[in-house]
Coordinates of all heavy atoms in Angstrom, one line a residue:
S1 N 10.3 -10.5 -11.0 CA 10.2 -10.0 -9.7 C 9.8 -11.2 -8.8 O 8.9 -11.9 -9.1 CB 9.3 -8.8 -9.6 OG 8.5 -8.8 -8.6
A2 N 10.3 -11.3 -7.6 CA 10.0 -12.4 -6.7 C 8.8 -12.0 -5.9 O 8.8 -11.5 -4.8 CB 11.2 -12.6 -5.7
G3 N 7.6 -12.2 -6.5 CA 6.4 -11.8 -5.9 C 5.8 -12.7 -4.9 O 5.8 -13.9 -5.1
S4 N 5.5 -12.2 -3.7 CA 4.8 -13.0 -2.7 C 4.3 -12.0 -1.7 O 4.8 -10.9 -1.5 CB 5.7 -14.0 -2.1 OG 6.2 -13.6 -0.8
S5 N 3.3 -12.5 -1.0 CA 2.8 -11.7 0.2 C 2.7 -12.7 1.3 O 2.4 -13.8 1.1 CB 1.5 -11.0 -0.1 OG 0.5 -12.0 -0.4
M6 N 3.1 -12.2 2.5 CA 3.0 -13.1 3.7 C 1.6 -13.5 4.0 O 0.8 -12.6 4.2 CB 3.7 -12.5 4.9 CG 5.2 -12.2 4.6 SD 6.1 -13.6 4.0 CE 6.5 -14.4 5.6
G7 N 1.3 -14.7 4.0 CA -0.1 -15.2 4.3 C -0.4 -15.4 5.7 O 0.5 -15.1 6.6
A8 N -1.5 -15.9 6.0 CA -1.9 -16.2 7.4 C -0.9 -17.2 8.0 O -0.3 -18.0 7.3 CB -3.3 -16.9 7.4
E9 N -0.7 -17.0 9.3 CA 0.3 -17.8 10.0 C 1.7 -17.7 9.5 O 2.5 -18.5 9.7 CB -0.1 -19.3 10.0 CG -1.5 -19.6 10.6 CD -1.9 -21.0 10.4 OE1 -1.0 -21.9 10.6 OE2 -3.1 -21.3 10.2
A10 N 2.0 -16.6 8.8 CA 3.4 -16.3 8.3 C 3.9 -17.5 7.5 O 5.1 -17.7 7.5 CB 4.3 -15.9 9.4
K11 N 3.1 -18.1 6.8 CA 3.5 -19.2 5.9 C 4.0 -18.8 4.6 O 4.7 -19.5 3.8 CB 2.4 -20.2 5.7 CG 1.9 -21.0 6.9 CD 2.8 -22.2 7.1 CE 2.3 -23.0 8.3 NZ 3.2 -24.0 8.7
G12 N 3.7 -17.5 4.2 CA 4.1 -17.0 2.9 C 3.2 -17.5 1.8 O 2.2 -18.3 2.1
A13 N 3.4 -17.0 0.6 CA 2.6 -17.4 -0.5 C 2.8 -18.9 -0.9 O 3.9 -19.4 -0.7 CB 3.0 -16.5 -1.7
S14 N 1.7 -19.5 -1.4 CA 1.9 -20.9 -1.8 C 2.7 -21.0 -3.1 O 3.3 -22.1 -3.3 CB 0.5 -21.5 -2.0 OG -0.2 -20.9 -3.0
S15 N 2.7 -20.0 -3.9 CA 3.4 -20.0 -5.1 C 4.1 -18.6 -5.3 O 3.5 -17.6 -5.0 CB 2.5 -20.2 -6.3 OG 3.2 -20.2 -7.5
I16 N 5.4 -18.6 -5.7 CA 6.2 -17.4 -5.8 C 6.8 -17.4 -7.2 O 7.4 -18.3 -7.6 CB 7.3 -17.3 -4.7 CG1 6.7 -17.4 -3.3 CG2 8.1 -16.1 -4.9 CD1 7.7 -17.6 -2.2
V17 N 6.6 -16.3 -7.9 CA 7.2 -16.1 -9.2 C 8.5 -15.3 -9.1 O 8.5 -14.2 -8.6 CB 6.2 -15.4 -10.2 CG1 6.8 -15.3 -11.6 CG2 4.9 -16.2 -10.3
L18 N 9.6 -16.0 -9.6 CA 10.9 -15.4 -9.5 C 11.3 -14.9 -10.9 O 11.0 -15.5 -11.9 CB 11.9 -16.4 -9.0 CG 11.6 -17.0 -7.7 CD1 12.6 -18.2 -7.4 CD2 11.7 -16.0 -6.6
N19 N 12.0 -13.8 -11.0 CA 12.6 -13.3 -12.2 C 13.7 -14.2 -12.6 O 14.7 -14.3 -12.0 CB 13.1 -11.9 -12.0 CG 13.7 -11.3 -13.3 OD1 13.9 -12.0 -14.3 ND2 14.0 -10.0 -13.2
G20 N 13.5 -14.9 -13.8 CA 14.4 -15.9 -14.2 C 15.3 -15.4 -15.4 O 15.9 -16.2 -16.1
G21 N 15.3 -14.1 -15.6 CA 16.2 -13.5 -16.6 C 15.7 -13.8 -18.0 O 14.5 -14.0 -18.2
S22 N 16.6 -13.9 -18.9 CA 16.3 -14.1 -20.3 C 15.6 -15.4 -20.7 O 14.9 -15.5 -21.7 CB 17.5 -13.9 -21.2 OG 18.5 -15.0 -20.9
L23 N 15.7 -16.4 -19.8 CA 15.1 -17.7 -20.1 C 13.6 -17.7 -19.7 O 12.9 -18.6 -19.9 CB 15.8 -18.8 -19.4 CG 17.2 -19.1 -19.9 CD1 17.8 -20.2 -19.1 CD2 17.2 -19.5 -21.4
G24 N 13.2 -16.7 -19.0 CA 11.8 -16.6 -18.5 C 11.6 -16.8 -17.0 O 12.6 -17.2 -16.3
S25 N 10.5 -16.5 -16.5 CA 10.2 -16.5 -15.1 C 10.2 -18.0 -14.5 O 10.0 -18.9 -15.3 CB 8.9 -15.8 -14.7 OG 7.8 -16.5 -15.3
V26 N 10.4 -18.1 -13.2 CA 10.4 -19.4 -12.6 C 9.3 -19.3 -11.5 O 9.4 -18.4 -10.6 CB 11.8 -19.7 -11.9 CG1 11.7 -21.0 -11.1 CG2 12.9 -19.7 -13.0
T27 N 8.4 -20.2 -11.6 CA 7.3 -20.3 -10.5 C 7.8 -21.3 -9.5 O 8.0 -22.5 -9.8 CB 6.0 -20.7 -11.1 OG1 5.6 -19.7 -12.1 CG2 4.9 -20.8 -10.0
F28 N 8.0 -20.9 -8.3 CA 8.5 -21.7 -7.2 C 7.3 -22.1 -6.4 O 6.5 -21.3 -5.8 CB 9.5 -20.9 -6.3 CG 9.9 -21.6 -5.1 CD1 10.6 -22.8 -5.1 CD2 9.5 -21.1 -3.8 CE1 10.9 -23.5 -3.9 CE2 9.8 -21.8 -2.6 CZ 10.6 -22.9 -2.7
N29 N 7.0 -23.4 -6.3 CA 5.9 -24.0 -5.5 C 6.3 -24.0 -4.1 O 6.7 -25.1 -3.5 CB 5.5 -25.3 -6.1 CG 4.2 -25.8 -5.5 OD1 3.9 -25.5 -4.4 ND2 3.4 -26.5 -6.4
H30 N 6.1 -22.9 -3.4 CA 6.5 -22.8 -2.0 C 5.6 -23.7 -1.1 O 6.2 -24.4 -0.2 CB 6.3 -21.3 -1.6 CG 6.8 -21.0 -0.2 ND1 6.0 -20.4 0.8 CD2 8.0 -21.1 0.4 CE1 6.7 -20.2 1.8 NE2 7.9 -20.6 1.6
G31 N 4.4 -23.8 -1.4 CA 3.5 -24.7 -0.6 C 3.9 -26.1 -0.7 O 3.9 -26.8 0.3
R32 N 4.3 -26.6 -1.9 CA 4.7 -28.0 -2.0 C 6.0 -28.3 -1.2 O 6.1 -29.3 -0.5 CB 5.0 -28.4 -3.5 CG 5.5 -29.8 -3.6 CD 5.7 -30.2 -5.1 NE 4.5 -30.2 -5.8 CZ 4.4 -30.1 -7.1 NH1 5.4 -29.9 -7.8 NH2 3.2 -30.1 -7.7
H33 N 6.9 -27.3 -1.2 CA 8.1 -27.5 -0.5 C 7.8 -27.5 1.0 O 8.4 -28.2 1.8 CB 9.1 -26.4 -0.8 CG 9.8 -26.6 -2.1 ND1 9.2 -26.3 -3.3 CD2 11.0 -27.1 -2.5 CE1 10.0 -26.6 -4.3 NE2 11.1 -27.1 -3.8
Q34 N 6.9 -26.6 1.5 CA 6.5 -26.6 2.9 C 5.9 -27.9 3.3 O 6.2 -28.4 4.4 CB 5.5 -25.5 3.2 CG 6.1 -24.1 3.1 CD 5.0 -23.1 3.2 OE1 3.9 -23.2 2.7 NE2 5.3 -22.0 3.9
G35 N 5.2 -28.6 2.5 CA 4.6 -29.9 2.8 C 5.6 -31.0 2.8 O 5.4 -31.9 3.6
M36 N 6.6 -30.9 2.0 CA 7.6 -31.9 2.0 C 8.7 -31.8 3.0 O 9.3 -32.7 3.5 CB 8.3 -31.9 0.6 CG 7.4 -32.4 -0.5 SD 8.1 -32.3 -2.1 CE 9.4 -33.5 -2.0
F37 N 9.0 -30.5 3.4 CA 10.1 -30.2 4.3 C 9.6 -29.3 5.5 O 9.6 -28.1 5.3 CB 11.3 -29.5 3.6 CG 11.7 -30.3 2.4 CD1 11.3 -29.9 1.1 CD2 12.5 -31.4 2.5 CE1 11.8 -30.5 0.0 CE2 12.9 -32.1 1.4 CZ 12.5 -31.7 0.1
P38 N 9.3 -29.9 6.6 CA 8.8 -29.1 7.7 C 9.8 -28.1 8.3 O 9.5 -27.1 8.9 CB 8.3 -30.1 8.7 CG 9.0 -31.4 8.4 CD 9.3 -31.3 6.9
D39 N 11.1 -28.4 8.1 CA 12.2 -27.5 8.6 C 12.5 -26.5 7.5 O 13.0 -26.8 6.4 CB 13.4 -28.3 8.9 CG 14.6 -27.4 9.4 OD1 14.4 -26.2 9.6 OD2 15.7 -28.0 9.5
C40 N 12.2 -25.3 7.7 CA 12.3 -24.2 6.7 C 13.8 -23.7 6.7 O 14.1 -22.9 5.8 CB 11.4 -23.0 7.1 SG 9.7 -23.5 7.1
Q41 N 14.6 -24.0 7.7 CA 15.9 -23.4 7.8 C 16.9 -23.7 6.6 O 17.7 -22.8 6.3 CB 16.6 -23.9 9.1 CG 16.0 -23.1 10.3 CD 16.0 -21.6 10.1 OE1 17.0 -21.0 9.9 NE2 14.8 -21.0 10.1
P42 N 16.8 -24.8 5.9 CA 17.8 -25.0 4.8 C 17.7 -23.8 3.8 O 18.7 -23.4 3.2 CB 17.4 -26.3 4.2 CG 16.8 -27.1 5.3 CD 16.1 -26.1 6.2
C43 N 16.5 -23.3 3.6 CA 16.4 -22.1 2.7 C 16.3 -20.8 3.4 O 17.0 -19.9 3.0 CB 15.1 -22.3 1.8 SG 15.1 -23.6 0.7
H44 N 15.6 -20.8 4.5 CA 15.4 -19.5 5.2 C 16.5 -19.1 6.1 O 16.5 -18.0 6.6 CB 14.0 -19.4 5.9 CG 12.9 -19.3 4.9 ND1 12.8 -18.2 4.1 CD2 11.9 -20.1 4.6 CE1 11.7 -18.3 3.3 NE2 11.1 -19.5 3.6
A45 N 17.5 -19.9 6.2 CA 18.7 -19.5 6.9 C 19.5 -18.5 5.9 O 20.2 -17.6 6.4 CB 19.7 -20.6 7.2
F46 N 19.2 -18.7 4.7 CA 19.9 -17.8 3.6 C 18.9 -16.7 3.1 O 19.4 -15.6 2.9 CB 20.3 -18.7 2.5 CG 21.1 -18.0 1.4 CD1 22.4 -17.7 1.7 CD2 20.6 -17.7 0.2 CE1 23.2 -17.0 0.8 CE2 21.4 -17.0 -0.7 CZ 22.7 -16.7 -0.4
F47 N 17.7 -17.1 2.9 CA 16.7 -16.1 2.4 C 15.7 -15.7 3.5 O 15.0 -16.5 4.0 CB 15.8 -16.7 1.3 CG 16.6 -17.2 0.1 CD1 16.8 -18.5 -0.1 CD2 17.1 -16.2 -0.8 CE1 17.5 -18.9 -1.2 CE2 17.8 -16.6 -1.9 CZ 18.0 -18.0 -2.1
P48 N 15.8 -14.4 3.9 CA 14.9 -13.9 5.0 C 13.4 -14.1 4.5 O 13.1 -14.1 3.3 CB 15.2 -12.5 5.1 CG 16.6 -12.3 4.6 CD 16.7 -13.4 3.5
K49 N 12.5 -14.3 5.4 CA 11.1 -14.5 5.1 C 10.5 -13.1 4.9 O 9.9 -12.5 5.8 CB 10.4 -15.2 6.3 CG 10.8 -16.7 6.4 CD 10.1 -17.3 7.6 CE 10.5 -18.7 7.8 NZ 9.8 -19.3 9.0
E50 N 10.6 -12.6 3.7 CA 10.0 -11.3 3.4 C 9.6 -11.3 1.9 O 10.3 -11.9 1.1 CB 10.8 -10.2 3.8 CG 12.2 -10.1 3.1 CD 13.1 -9.0 3.5 OE1 13.7 -9.1 4.6 OE2 13.1 -8.0 2.8
S51 N 8.6 -10.5 1.6 CA 8.2 -10.3 0.2 C 9.3 -9.7 -0.6 O 10.1 -8.8 -0.2 CB 7.0 -9.4 0.2 OG 6.5 -9.2 -1.1
Q52 N 9.5 -10.2 -1.9 CA 10.4 -9.7 -2.8 C 11.9 -9.9 -2.4 O 12.8 -9.2 -2.8 CB 10.2 -8.2 -3.1 CG 8.8 -7.8 -3.5 CD 8.4 -8.3 -4.9 OE1 9.2 -8.3 -5.8 NE2 7.2 -8.8 -5.0
V53 N 12.2 -10.8 -1.5 CA 13.5 -11.0 -0.9 C 14.6 -11.3 -2.0 O 15.7 -10.7 -1.9 CB 13.5 -12.0 0.2 CG1 13.3 -13.5 -0.4 CG2 14.8 -12.0 1.0
V54 N 14.3 -12.0 -3.0 CA 15.3 -12.3 -4.0 C 15.7 -11.1 -4.7 O 16.9 -10.8 -4.9 CB 14.9 -13.4 -5.0 CG1 15.9 -13.6 -6.1 CG2 14.7 -14.8 -4.2
D55 N 14.8 -10.3 -5.2 CA 15.1 -9.0 -5.9 C 15.8 -8.1 -4.9 O 16.8 -7.4 -5.3 CB 13.8 -8.4 -6.4 CG 13.2 -9.1 -7.6 OD1 14.0 -9.9 -8.2 OD2 12.0 -9.0 -7.8
K56 N 15.4 -8.0 -3.7 CA 16.1 -7.1 -2.7 C 17.5 -7.5 -2.5 O 18.4 -6.7 -2.5 CB 15.3 -7.1 -1.4 CG 14.0 -6.4 -1.4 CD 13.3 -6.5 -0.1 CE 11.9 -6.0 -0.1 NZ 11.2 -6.2 1.1
M57 N 17.8 -8.8 -2.4 CA 19.1 -9.3 -2.1 C 20.0 -9.1 -3.4 O 21.2 -8.7 -3.2 CB 19.1 -10.8 -1.7 CG 18.5 -11.1 -0.4 SD 18.4 -12.8 0.1 CE 20.2 -13.2 0.4
K58 N 19.4 -9.3 -4.6 CA 20.2 -9.0 -5.8 C 20.6 -7.5 -5.8 O 21.7 -7.2 -6.2 CB 19.4 -9.4 -7.0 CG 19.4 -10.9 -7.3 CD 18.6 -11.3 -8.5 CE 18.6 -12.8 -8.8 NZ 17.8 -13.1 -9.9
G59 N 19.6 -6.7 -5.6 CA 19.8 -5.2 -5.6 C 20.9 -4.8 -4.6 O 21.6 -3.8 -4.9
A60 N 21.0 -5.5 -3.5 CA 22.0 -5.1 -2.4 C 23.3 -5.8 -2.7 O 24.2 -5.7 -1.9 CB 21.4 -5.5 -1.1
G61 N 23.4 -6.6 -3.8 CA 24.7 -7.3 -4.1 C 24.9 -8.5 -3.3 O 26.0 -9.0 -3.2
K62 N 23.9 -9.0 -2.6 CA 24.0 -10.2 -1.7 C 23.8 -11.5 -2.5 O 24.0 -12.6 -1.9 CB 23.1 -10.1 -0.5 CG 23.4 -9.0 0.4 CD 22.5 -8.9 1.6 CE 22.8 -7.8 2.5 NZ 21.9 -7.7 3.6
L63 N 23.3 -11.4 -3.7 CA 23.1 -12.6 -4.6 C 23.6 -12.3 -5.9 O 23.5 -11.3 -6.5 CB 21.6 -12.9 -4.8 CG 20.8 -13.6 -3.7 CD1 19.3 -13.7 -4.1 CD2 21.3 -15.0 -3.4
Q64 N 24.3 -13.3 -6.5 CA 24.8 -13.3 -7.8 C 23.8 -13.9 -8.8 O 22.8 -14.5 -8.3 CB 26.1 -14.0 -7.9 CG 27.2 -13.4 -7.1 CD 27.4 -11.9 -7.4 OE1 27.6 -11.5 -8.6 NE2 27.4 -11.0 -6.4
R65 N 24.0 -13.7 -10.0 CA 23.0 -14.1 -11.1 C 22.4 -15.5 -10.9 O 21.2 -15.7 -11.1 CB 23.7 -13.9 -12.4 CG 22.7 -14.1 -13.6 CD 23.4 -13.7 -14.9 NE 22.7 -14.2 -16.0 CZ 23.2 -15.2 -16.8 NH1 24.4 -15.6 -16.6 NH2 22.5 -15.7 -17.7
K66 N 23.2 -16.5 -10.7 CA 22.7 -17.9 -10.6 C 22.7 -18.5 -9.2 O 22.5 -19.7 -9.1 CB 23.5 -18.8 -11.6 CG 23.3 -18.4 -13.0 CD 24.1 -19.3 -14.0 CE 23.8 -18.9 -15.4 NZ 24.5 -19.8 -16.3
D67 N 22.8 -17.7 -8.2 CA 22.9 -18.3 -6.8 C 21.6 -19.1 -6.5 O 21.7 -20.2 -5.9 CB 23.1 -17.2 -5.8 CG 24.5 -16.7 -5.8 OD1 25.4 -17.3 -6.4 OD2 24.8 -15.6 -5.1
V68 N 20.4 -18.5 -6.7 CA 19.2 -19.2 -6.4 C 19.0 -20.5 -7.2 O 18.8 -21.5 -6.6 CB 18.0 -18.3 -6.6 CG1 16.7 -19.0 -6.3 CG2 18.1 -17.0 -5.8
M69 N 19.3 -20.4 -8.5 CA 19.2 -21.6 -9.3 C 20.1 -22.7 -8.8 O 19.7 -23.9 -8.7 CB 19.5 -21.2 -10.8 CG 19.5 -22.4 -11.7 SD 20.2 -22.1 -13.3 CE 22.0 -22.1 -12.9
N70 N 21.4 -22.3 -8.5 CA 22.3 -23.3 -8.1 C 21.9 -24.0 -6.8 O 22.1 -25.2 -6.6 CB 23.7 -22.7 -8.0 CG 24.3 -22.4 -9.3 OD1 23.9 -23.0 -10.3 ND2 25.2 -21.4 -9.4
M71 N 21.3 -23.2 -5.9 CA 20.9 -23.7 -4.6 C 19.8 -24.8 -4.8 O 19.8 -25.9 -4.3 CB 20.4 -22.6 -3.7 CG 19.9 -23.0 -2.3 SD 19.5 -21.6 -1.4 CE 18.9 -22.3 0.1
C72 N 18.8 -24.4 -5.7 CA 17.7 -25.3 -6.0 C 18.2 -26.6 -6.7 O 17.8 -27.7 -6.3 CB 16.7 -24.7 -6.9 SG 15.9 -23.2 -6.2
K73 N 19.0 -26.4 -7.7 CA 19.6 -27.6 -8.4 C 20.4 -28.5 -7.5 O 20.2 -29.7 -7.6 CB 20.4 -27.2 -9.6 CG 19.6 -26.7 -10.8 CD 20.5 -26.2 -11.9 CE 21.4 -27.3 -12.5 NZ 22.1 -26.9 -13.6
K74 N 21.1 -28.0 -6.6 CA 22.0 -28.8 -5.7 C 21.1 -29.6 -4.8 O 21.3 -30.8 -4.7 CB 22.8 -27.9 -4.8 CG 23.7 -28.6 -3.8 CD 24.5 -27.7 -2.9 CE 25.3 -28.5 -2.0 NZ 25.4 -28.0 -0.7
C75 N 20.0 -29.0 -4.2 CA 19.1 -29.8 -3.4 C 18.4 -30.9 -4.2 O 18.3 -32.0 -3.8 CB 18.1 -28.9 -2.8 SG 17.0 -29.7 -1.6
H76 N 17.9 -30.5 -5.4 CA 17.2 -31.5 -6.2 C 18.1 -32.7 -6.6 O 17.7 -33.8 -6.6 CB 16.6 -30.8 -7.5 CG 15.5 -29.9 -7.2 ND1 14.9 -29.1 -8.2 CD2 14.8 -29.6 -6.1 CE1 13.9 -28.4 -7.7 NE2 13.8 -28.7 -6.4
K77 N 19.3 -32.4 -6.9 CA 20.3 -33.5 -7.3 C 20.6 -34.3 -6.1 O 20.7 -35.6 -6.2 CB 21.6 -32.9 -7.9 CG 21.3 -32.3 -9.3 CD 22.6 -31.8 -9.9 CE 22.3 -31.3 -11.3 NZ 23.5 -30.9 -12.0
E78 N 20.8 -33.7 -4.9 CA 21.0 -34.5 -3.7 C 19.9 -35.5 -3.4 O 20.1 -36.6 -3.0 CB 21.3 -33.6 -2.5 CG 22.6 -32.9 -2.6 CD 22.8 -31.9 -1.5 OE1 21.8 -31.6 -0.7 OE2 23.9 -31.3 -1.4
L79 N 18.6 -35.0 -3.6 CA 17.5 -35.9 -3.3 C 17.4 -37.0 -4.4 O 17.1 -38.1 -4.0 CB 16.2 -35.0 -3.4 CG 15.9 -34.1 -2.2 CD1 14.8 -33.2 -2.5 CD2 15.7 -34.9 -0.9
A80 N 17.7 -36.7 -5.6 CA 17.7 -37.7 -6.7 C 18.8 -38.7 -6.4 O 18.5 -39.9 -6.6 CB 17.9 -37.0 -8.0
D81 N 19.9 -38.3 -5.9 CA 21.0 -39.3 -5.6 C 20.6 -40.2 -4.5 O 21.1 -41.3 -4.4 CB 22.3 -38.5 -5.2 CG 23.0 -37.8 -6.4 OD1 22.6 -38.1 -7.6 OD2 23.8 -37.0 -6.2
K82 N 19.7 -39.8 -3.6 CA 19.2 -40.6 -2.5 C 18.0 -41.4 -3.0 O 17.4 -42.1 -2.2 CB 18.8 -39.7 -1.3 CG 20.0 -39.0 -0.7 CD 19.5 -38.1 0.4 CE 20.6 -37.3 1.0 NZ 20.2 -36.4 2.0
G83 N 17.6 -41.3 -4.2 CA 16.5 -42.1 -4.8 C 15.1 -41.5 -4.4 O 14.1 -42.2 -4.5
R84 N 15.1 -40.2 -4.0 CA 13.9 -39.6 -3.6 C 13.3 -38.8 -4.7 O 14.0 -38.4 -5.6 CB 14.1 -38.7 -2.4 CG 14.5 -39.4 -1.1 CD 14.5 -38.6 0.1 NE 13.3 -37.8 0.3 CZ 13.3 -36.8 1.2 NH1 14.3 -36.4 1.8 NH2 12.1 -36.2 1.4
K85 N 12.0 -38.6 -4.7 CA 11.3 -37.8 -5.7 C 11.8 -36.4 -5.5 O 12.0 -35.9 -4.4 CB 9.8 -37.9 -5.5 CG 9.0 -37.1 -6.5 CD 7.5 -37.3 -6.3 CE 6.8 -36.5 -7.4 NZ 5.3 -36.6 -7.2
T86 N 12.0 -35.7 -6.7 CA 12.6 -34.4 -6.6 C 12.1 -33.5 -7.7 O 11.4 -34.0 -8.6 CB 14.2 -34.5 -6.6 OG1 14.7 -33.2 -6.4 CG2 14.6 -35.1 -8.0
G87 N 12.5 -32.3 -7.7 CA 12.1 -31.3 -8.7 C 13.1 -31.3 -9.8 O 14.0 -32.1 -9.9
P88 N 12.8 -30.4 -10.8 CA 13.6 -30.3 -12.0 C 15.1 -29.9 -11.8 O 15.4 -29.3 -10.8 CB 12.9 -29.3 -12.8 CG 12.0 -28.5 -11.9 CD 11.8 -29.4 -10.7
T89 N 15.9 -30.3 -12.7 CA 17.3 -30.0 -12.7 C 17.8 -29.4 -14.0 O 19.0 -29.2 -14.2 CB 18.2 -31.2 -12.3 OG1 18.0 -32.2 -13.2 CG2 17.9 -31.7 -10.9
N90 N 16.9 -29.2 -15.0 CA 17.3 -28.6 -16.2 C 16.6 -27.3 -16.4 O 15.5 -27.1 -15.9 CB 17.3 -29.6 -17.4 CG 15.9 -29.8 -17.8 OD1 15.1 -28.9 -18.1 ND2 15.5 -31.1 -17.9
C91 N 17.1 -26.5 -17.3 CA 16.6 -25.1 -17.5 C 15.1 -25.0 -17.8 O 14.4 -24.3 -17.1 CB 17.4 -24.4 -18.6 SG 19.2 -24.4 -18.3
K92 N 14.7 -25.6 -18.8 CA 13.4 -25.4 -19.4 C 12.3 -26.0 -18.5 O 11.1 -25.8 -18.7 CB 13.3 -25.9 -20.8 CG 14.1 -25.1 -21.7 CD 13.9 -25.4 -23.1 CE 14.9 -24.5 -23.9 NZ 14.4 -23.9 -25.0
E93 N 12.6 -26.9 -17.5 CA 11.6 -27.4 -16.6 C 11.2 -26.3 -15.6 O 10.1 -26.4 -15.0 CB 12.2 -28.6 -15.9 CG 12.2 -29.8 -16.8 CD 12.7 -31.1 -16.0 OE1 11.9 -31.6 -15.3 OE2 13.9 -31.4 -16.1
C94 N 12.1 -25.3 -15.3 CA 11.8 -24.3 -14.4 C 11.4 -22.9 -15.1 O 10.5 -22.3 -14.7 CB 13.0 -24.0 -13.5 SG 13.3 -25.4 -12.3
H95 N 12.3 -22.6 -16.0 CA 12.1 -21.3 -16.7 C 11.0 -21.4 -17.8 O 11.0 -22.2 -18.6 CB 13.4 -20.9 -17.4 CG 14.5 -20.5 -16.4 ND1 14.7 -19.2 -15.9 CD2 15.4 -21.3 -15.8 CE1 15.7 -19.3 -15.1 NE2 16.2 -20.5 -15.0
K96 N 10.0 -20.4 -17.7 CA 8.9 -20.4 -18.6 C 8.8 -19.0 -19.2 O 8.8 -18.0 -18.4 CB 7.6 -20.8 -18.0 CG 7.6 -22.1 -17.2 CD 7.7 -23.3 -18.1 CE 7.7 -24.5 -17.3 NZ 8.1 -25.7 -18.0
K97 N 8.7 -18.9 -20.5 CA 8.5 -17.6 -21.1 C 7.1 -17.3 -21.3 O 6.2 -18.1 -21.3 CB 9.2 -17.5 -22.5 CG 10.7 -17.5 -22.3 CD 11.3 -17.1 -23.6 CE 12.8 -16.9 -23.4 NZ 13.5 -16.0 -24.2

């Protein structure tokens, strides 16, 4: 489940645990991303700023099984191609049982 609660100043949780299916949950370091990218729109143009949004979008049929993963991997690969420090791009670096 995509757990988070909106914190002070509507910044959201510093860490959000996403349901990662059979490979295990994914802990998304929201605070680190906020520190690196002051413009929230690349993600929040797609994901509304609300608690449990990934699970809600999946339930409403607005997200397919690997949509979130593919979005993250695409951004991480683009940063790596530019020679910038980036997050993981393989399964076991994100999914934890």
Side-chain angles (χ1 to χ4, degrees):
S1 137
S4 99
S5 60
M6 298 308 277
E9 302 176 36
K11 294 275 187 190
S14 62
S15 180
I16 301 168
V17 178
L18 304 170
N19 178 350
S22 63
L23 292 177
S25 63
V26 174
T27 300
F28 172 66
N29 191 326
H30 188 235
R32 180 179 293 160
H33 285 78
Q34 289 174 321
M36 292 175 66
F37 306 104
D39 179 10
C40 301
Q41 284 308 300
C43 292
H44 285 297
F46 188 73
F47 298 107
K49 294 179 182 180
E50 62 182 79
S51 181
Q52 308 290 321
V53 70
V54 172
D55 288 339
K56 289 176 185 175
M57 290 177 74
K58 284 181 180 178
K62 295 180 181 178
L63 278 178
Q64 297 303 308
R65 187 169 161 251
K66 294 185 178 182
D67 285 349
V68 176
M69 177 192 76
N70 290 335
M71 183 176 176
C72 297
K73 283 178 63 174
K74 180 181 180 219
C75 185
H76 290 175
K77 286 182 179 187
E78 287 173 357
L79 289 170
D81 289 346
K82 293 176 183 175
R84 292 188 56 196
K85 184 176 179 181
T86 187
T89 57
N90 72 53
C91 303
K92 294 190 184 224
E93 289 183 77
C94 291
H95 292 268
K96 308 289 182 197
K97 287 196 175 205

